[in-house]
Each structure stands twice: as structure tokens, then as C-alpha cells.
Amino acid sequence: SRLEGSIKKTVSENLVVIYSKTWCSYASEVKSLFKRLGVQPLVIELDELGAQGPQLQKMLGRLTGQHTVPNVFVGGRHIGGCTDTLKLYRKGELAALLSEASAK
Amino acid sequence: SRLEGSIKKTVSENLVVIYSKTWCSYASEVKSLFKRLGVQPLVIELDELGAQGPQLQKMLGRLTGQHTVPNVFVGGRHIGGCTDTLKLYRKGELAALLSEASAK
Ligand SMILES: N[C@@H](CCC(=O)N[C@@H](CS)C(=O)NCC(=O)O)C(=O)O
Ligand SMILES: N[C@@H](CCC(=O)N[C@@H](CS)C(=O)NCC(=O)O)C(=O)O
Ligand code: FES
């Protein structure tokens, strides 16, 4: 579908993509984590897209198995939500993913 | 007002009151914190109250200066949001507040 295609294009063309909601503190945490790492993520605020927001969230759920926000992609790869991202960061794996993806 | 009166009554009559939203992970964190402490908080889900939800949230903002959720009261005292509650917990002050308030 067009929606699925646009998501795949977005996550493949941007080092870090965060599907987010403006009011959500978990989303704020991942946004500031990447900023601290010197990365400017592409942030898509699902609550600012009118009717398209819920549609996007539903399609993301279908594509990734994750129906919640924040929904985080690095180098085109789905890495998960806030907890997953922080876990990778603490293990040192996030930095590795970022450098590997930015080298491509 | 009636709304202000009902909030004051609610927080004075219940050891722990959490104004929450069902989808919010910060709210989930404080709810499970109190459960781990053996306390059964009174949880008011603002997103399940129809039009009254935003009204309550606004009045809480006026009364406490805090416009966000979760909004946490212990022993009738406003203690803050998720971050504030966790801070008090780590300092050991939350347990003290709880025992002091439950002794009354
Ligand atoms: N463990 C997940 C929790 C994700 C979660 O529950 N997100 C909430 C917001 S904090 C959510 O998406 N709720 C449903 C919604 O907003 O549509 C994470 O770390 O990201
Ligand atoms: N630092 C605060 C953050 C509170 C916050 O930003 N809460 C968000 C949800 S996570 C909120 O209330 N957003 C506006 C809304 O939902 O009406 C805390 O620890 O509780
Ligand atoms: S909405 Fe509160 S943490 Fe996401």
C-alpha cells in the first residue's frame, strides 16, 4: 500500500526515525537520548497528522508488531520503543548500530 | 467550585491518589511503584471520563500548578509527577510519607 511504502521509504532514507506523540514523556526521552548522541532524528509526531496519525500507527503496528509510541528505527532497522532503545544504549550497542548505519 | 471540592475530598480521603491516563507509561510506572510498596492507590483515569477528563486535568493544574499526568497525591499532599515520585522513593522519603500519612 502507499502508506506502507512511505514508511519503508522514510526509515530507509533517514539514519534515525522516531514515530512519536508530542505529549509523551517516553518519546521525549528517546528524542533527547539521540540528541545527546549528536544525532538529529527525523521525528514524526503522530498526534499532529489529523486522521493520518492513527492510520500510520496502525500500519506501524502491522509492520513492526509494535502498536505503541515511541517507535524507533535506526539505519532502516526497527529497534523498538523507549525501553528497548535505552537498553541498547546501555549495552553500547546503539552507538555501534549508529556508526554502522551512518557508514553506509 | 464543585469540581475543586471533589478533588480535595478525594485526595484527603485516600492514602494515595493518582490522576492518570490509561495509555501513559509514566503513569504505569507510578502505579506499579505503589503496588510494589504494598499500597493500593486510587487511580483516576482521565481519558475514561469523557468531557470531565480535560476539566479535571485543568482544575488539577490550577490547584497544583501541574498540568501533566501522572499527578500524584500522598496523604492529601501533592507530591508531583512520575519523576518527582521516583526521586522521593529513591531518597527513602516516600516510605516515610506513606507511613506518616497512614498513621493518621
Ligand atoms: N515499553 C514501551 C511502552 C510503550 C507504550 O506503552 N507507549 C504508550 C505511550 S507511553 C502508548 O503508545 N500508548 C498507546 C498510544 O499512545 O497510542 C516503550 O518503552 O516504548
Ligand atoms: N516530568 C513529568 C512529565 C509529565 C508529562 O510530561 N506528562 C505527559 C504524559 S507522559 C503529559 O501529561 N502530557 C500532556 C497530557 O497528556 O495531557 C513527570 O515525571 O510526571
Ligand atoms: S504518554 Fe506518558 S509516557 Fe508516553
Side-chain angles (χ1 to χ4, degrees):
Chain A
S1 72
R2 286 190 83 206
L3 195 57
E4 180 172 349
S6 79
I7 291 171
K8 292 184 170 175
K9 185 176 197 290
T10 300
V11 303
S12 62
E13 290 181 354
N14 294 278
L15 181 63
V16 178
V17 181
I18 302 170
Y19 291 91
S20 164
K21 288 185 187 176
T22 55
W23 60 64
C24 174
S25 295
Y26 263 33
S28 307
E29 281 190 33
V30 287
K31 288 173 207 170
S32 58
L33 172 63
F34 283 107
K35 294 215 180 99
R36 285 205 305 280
L37 296 174
V39 175
Q40 184 77 292
L42 175 68
V43 178
I44 293 151
E45 301 291 1
L46 296 178
D47 57 297
E48 293 187 332
L49 300 176
Q52 220 188 40
Q55 287 175 17
L56 249 175
Q57 191 167 352
K58 207 172 275 172
M59 181 55 75
L60 286 163
R62 234 173 281 165
L63 292 175
T64 66
Q66 180 185 322
H67 299 85
T68 54
V69 292
N71 204 330
V72 184
F73 293 78
V74 174
R77 193 184 312 185
H78 178 245
I79 67 169
C82 177
T83 314
D84 301 317
T85 305
L86 288 173
K87 214 174 281 177
L88 280 181
Y89 168 65
R90 284 175 199 135
K91 291 204 269 175
E93 287 179 35
L94 188 60
L97 275 174
L98 283 164
S99 60
E100 172 191 359
S102 53
K104 294 197 178 123
Chain B
S1 72
R2 288 189 81 207
L3 194 58
E4 180 172 350
S6 80
I7 292 171
K8 291 183 171 174
K9 185 175 197 289
T10 300
V11 304
S12 61
E13 290 180 354
N14 294 276
L15 181 63
V16 178
V17 181
I18 302 170
Y19 291 91
S20 165
K21 288 184 186 177
T22 56
W23 61 63
C24 174
S25 295
Y26 263 33
S28 306
E29 282 191 33
V30 287
K31 288 174 208 170
S32 58
L33 172 63
F34 282 107
K35 295 217 179 99
R36 284 205 305 281
L37 296 174
V39 174
Q40 184 76 292
L42 176 68
V43 178
I44 294 152
E45 302 289 3
L46 296 178
D47 57 296
E48 294 186 331
L49 300 176
Q52 220 188 39
Q55 287 177 19
L56 250 174
Q57 191 168 353
K58 208 171 272 171
M59 179 55 76
L60 286 162
R62 234 173 281 165
L63 292 174
T64 66
Q66 180 185 321
H67 298 86
T68 54
V69 294
N71 204 331
V72 183
F73 293 78
V74 173
R77 193 183 315 185
H78 178 244
I79 68 168
C82 177
T83 313
D84 302 316
T85 305
L86 288 173
K87 215 174 281 179
L88 280 180
Y89 168 65
R90 285 176 198 133
K91 291 203 269 177
E93 287 178 34
L94 188 61
L97 275 174
L98 283 164
S99 59
E100 172 190 358
S102 52
K104 292 196 177 125

